[in-house]
Amino acid sequence: MHEAHGFSTRAIHAGQEPDPLTGAVVPPIYATSTYKQDGVGGLRGGYEYSRSGNPTRTALETCLASIEGGARGFAFASGLAAEDTVLRALLKPGDHVIIPNDAYGGTFRLFDKVAARWGLRYTAAPITDLDAVAQSLDQGTRMIWVETPTNPLLNIADIAELAALAHQNDAILVVDNTFASPYLQQPLALGADVVVHSTTKYLGGHSDVVGGAVVVDDEVLAEPIAFHHNSMGAVAGPFDAWLTLRGIKTLAARMDRHCDNAEAIAEFLAGHDAVAEVRYPGLSTHPGHDVAGKQMKRYGGMISFRHKHGEEAAVEMCSRTEVFTLGESLGGVESLIEHPGRMTHASVAGSALEVPSDLVRLSVGIEDPGDLLADLRQALGS
């Protein structure tokens, strides 16, 4: 699929040419662990064992690279498996990484409880403050790791500025693009070296598959990632790859609807008496609004807000919604509500990354916007 084609065309067709034998327009699920060889070392299409390569996974990886504007894509069993492989492939014990001081709880746990035992050092810094990030650099810094927007506070990192800072200091920039999706944001085009995703979220889009992805545009980085992808083995299975491909086909259409609904809800919450603060990059009051407008196509489907009446009121509100489902994860067609402090970000409790106890996070789905607004209105008690 030619890179000159538009986003949706590539999302539907890249890596997914009709089957040459049957003409099937959807890639088959190659549910096989091994492949017949035409003599010793005579591989058909390069396939020998499905940990090393599977045609369904290849289709997904080709599509991932295309929609992120990269040269190589890698599909993993989960987003955290993707993150762990990036760390093992590109760093060594003793290296230093700067991470967001409001990182996703699972990412923080990976650095703090897993990678630190391997000898990796990290510093948590406010990624919205370039000077603070620069002051966190040391002689061993080899990577700056950012989410933008961040989870769950929706802070915005300036990807181009952080990429320049990283490269000036012999480090690479990794961007977790899960919240934005490739449709809304293209980190590689802004100077990032590595993009990671939880494909469980917007890429899969239907809350029915767990997966992760890494995309790079540099073969020097791709080679160690490919080696560790195979050697560590946390690869996407063929059915998971097929489900994720199915989701990607409608990514652009879904993201526009997610954004439409989120914009309406953010405006409603910003005017509600029970809401102390709304964290949504699309609001002009958001401190990262201008940067988001520069590097994002639209502002996404995630909203966080602080309940004016405190933690218990926030928790109670989460239990009162009827259209919004109380649950972890995000990015599916259905709207979800959660209390990060007790749910997705419980792993950062007591740390410097602890989130406000009165915070509520919404993953705004694609239902009728009137129903979503009515549900929040009754749950907030007005």
Side-chain angles (χ1 to χ4, degrees), residues 56-324:
T56 314
R57 192 172 87 227
T58 297
L60 172 59
E61 291 173 338
T62 301
C63 187
L64 288 167
S66 180
I67 62 175
E68 273 289 7
R72 294 280 298 278
F74 304 91
F76 290 84
S78 70
L80 282 169
E83 294 186 7
D84 187 40
T85 302
V86 168
L87 299 183
R88 309 290 177 168
L90 302 182
L91 300 173
K92 64 183 185 303
D95 285 348
H96 177 252
V97 184
I98 298 171
I99 68 171
N101 66 351
D102 60 338
Y104 163 55
T107 298
F108 172 76
R109 182 177 58 217
L110 175 64
F111 277 96
D112 190 62
K113 300 295 192 293
V114 179
R117 294 182 63 190
W118 179 59
L120 202 66
R121 299 180 297 115
Y122 76 90
T123 299
I127 58 164
T128 58
D129 185 339
L130 196 67
D131 290 337
V133 175
Q135 290 168 11
S136 299
L137 293 162
D138 70 26
Q139 290 185 340
T141 303
R142 295 293 172 264
M143 180 180 289
I144 298 175
W145 184 290
V146 301
E147 305 164 9
T148 184
T150 60
N151 180 7
L153 295 181
L154 282 298
N155 284 317
I156 301 296
D158 190 315
I159 295 172
E161 287 194 354
L162 287 169
L165 177 66
H167 299 157
Q168 289 162 10
N169 290 275
D170 297 321
I172 63 173
L173 177 66
V174 178
V175 176
D176 183 339
N177 203 27
T178 298
F179 264 31
S181 86
Y183 178 64
L184 298 182
Q185 184 168 265
Q186 300 270 294
L188 295 175
L190 294 166
D193 301 286
V194 181
V195 174
V196 298
H197 282 277
S198 170
T199 58
T200 309
K201 313 305 193 298
Y202 286 110
L203 289 168
H206 293 76
S207 302
D208 56 9
V209 62
V210 172
V214 175
V215 180
V216 297
D217 199 30
D218 182 345
E219 282 298 328
V220 174
L221 295 176
E223 287 183 14
I225 293 171
F227 176 82
H228 284 75
H229 190 217
N230 180 47
S231 299
M232 295 170 66
V235 299
F239 185 52
D240 292 347
W242 186 88
L243 282 171
T244 305
L245 266 176
R246 187 276 315 267
I248 289 173
K249 290 176 187 291
T250 60
L251 178 62
R254 288 186 287 106
M255 290 309 300
D256 278 332
R257 182 61 178 263
H258 284 298
C259 292
D260 288 345
N261 284 354
E263 288 165 10
I265 288 171
E267 292 288 350
F268 161 74
L269 291 171
H272 198 283
D273 290 342
V275 175
E277 178 190 11
V278 181
R279 305 285 296 181
Y280 183 66
L283 294 176
S284 60
T285 54
H286 189 286
H289 177 72
D290 290 343
V291 175
K294 177 180 69 173
Q295 67 189 21
M296 296 177 72
K297 182 175 181 177
R298 295 183 68 181
Y299 300 100
M302 299 300 299
I303 302 172
S304 289
F305 66 94
R306 300 183 69 171
H307 202 295
K308 186 175 289 185
H309 302 301
E311 179 177 2
E312 293 307 318
V315 171
E316 183 181 352
M317 181 210 166
C318 289
S319 69
R320 283 207 301 260
T321 57
E322 297 171 357
V323 181
F324 281 82

